[in-house]
């Protein structure tokens, strides 16, 4: 039986909060796909997500060419995962950048002096906003130890391990 929309959203937020890195997949202008790790900066109430990037990266061109993206999150310990399909837009809204800015961004933006100093007003900083269209996830029903036991039992018996409950959220549920 499927959970209520409110429960599914609460589980989704908990999963994303617990998994630091998403794998963002975009499509290059030649049609090939490319995936790279991105740290989620903020999630909105309707499962939409914010990421920081440099305006000088290829993913900007890729998103401008085809805004359809996929995000994958995976927790190796619990075997929980999240898949988000959505459309991405690029923003250099300084107020939003200031709102989301974290000092650890400096690790990813070399201080080149002047206004290119890795601070919130650095013109290289851009945000990627992903408007979630659909979400699919697995919520574990066991702790890590029982999950590992379920996997070992499945390997020994040839049966599929019972790791948890899969849920989906569609655009109607995401706002």
């Amino acid at each position: 039986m499927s959970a209520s929309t409110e429960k599914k959203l609460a589980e989704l937020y908990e999963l994303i909060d617990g998994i630091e890195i998403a794998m963002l997949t975009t499509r290059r202008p030649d049609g090939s796909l490319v995936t790279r790790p991105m740290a989620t900066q903020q999630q909105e109430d309707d499962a939409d997500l914010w990421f920081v990037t440099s305006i000088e990266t290829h993913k900007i061109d890729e998103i401008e060419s085809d805004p359809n993206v996929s995000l994958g999150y995976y927790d190796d310990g619990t075997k929980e995962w999240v898949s988000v399909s959505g459309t991405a837009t690029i923003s250099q809204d300084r107020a939003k950048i200031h709102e989301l800015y974290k000092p650890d961004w400096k690790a990813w933006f070399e201080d080149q002096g002047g206004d290119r100093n890795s601070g919130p007003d650095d013109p290289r900083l851009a945000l990627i906003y992903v408007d979630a269209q659909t979400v699919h996830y697995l919520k574990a029903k066991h702790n890590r130890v029982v999950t590992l036991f379920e996997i070992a039992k499945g390997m020994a018996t040839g049966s599929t391990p019972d790791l948890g409950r899969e849920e989906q959220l569609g655009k109607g549920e995401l706002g």
Side-chain angles (χ1 to χ4, degrees):
M1 183 164 123
S2 183
S4 70
T5 298
E6 293 77 24
K7 180 177 180 181
K8 290 190 288 188
L9 284 169
E11 288 177 342
L12 173 66
Y13 300 148
E14 179 184 323
L15 288 168
I16 290 175
D17 280 344
I19 304 171
E20 183 179 344
I21 302 296
M23 296 300 291
L24 170 69
T25 302
T26 58
R27 184 175 305 277
R28 291 182 174 146
D30 70 2
S32 62
L33 300 173
V34 63
T35 302
R36 80 274 287 155
M38 301 286 293
T40 305
Q41 300 302 314
Q42 179 176 312
Q43 56 183 320
E44 301 291 337
D45 290 338
D46 53 2
D48 297 338
L49 301 158
W50 289 96
F51 300 88
V52 66
T53 191
S54 170
I55 199 70
E56 299 168 349
T57 66
H58 291 292
K59 66 182 147 295
I60 300 297
D61 300 330
E62 294 158 7
I63 290 169
E64 288 174 347
S65 173
D66 182 348
N68 295 292
V69 299
S70 176
L71 295 164
Y73 294 84
Y74 180 69
D75 184 323
D76 190 44
T78 64
K79 307 304 183 205
E80 292 173 314
W81 53 265
V82 176
S83 173
V84 177
S85 294
T87 54
T89 54
I90 307 302
S91 171
Q92 284 195 286
D93 178 315
R94 285 293 136 203
K96 190 66 177 178
I97 290 172
H98 273 267
E99 176 189 333
L100 297 179
Y101 184 80
K102 297 176 185 151
D104 67 352
W105 291 8
K106 289 180 179 268
W108 304 105
F109 296 89
E110 179 183 351
D111 184 346
Q112 297 176 345
D115 62 352
R116 297 169 71 90
N117 62 3
S118 311
D121 292 313
D122 188 318
R124 296 172 295 172
L125 294 182
L127 299 173
I128 298 173
Y129 174 74
V130 177
D131 178 13
Q133 304 296 310
T134 61
V135 174
H136 191 189
Y137 68 88
L138 175 79
K139 178 65 178 162
K141 63 169 50 171
H142 311 292
N143 64 32
R144 290 177 188 221
V145 173
V146 175
T147 296
L148 290 173
F149 172 77
E150 283 290 322
I151 292 169
K153 181 175 85 175
M155 291 170 59
T157 65
S159 62
T160 303
D162 182 14
L163 300 181
R165 174 178 38 81
E166 286 189 45
E167 293 289 352
Q168 294 186 28
L169 290 155
K171 188 58 181 166
E173 296 172 286
L174 296 173

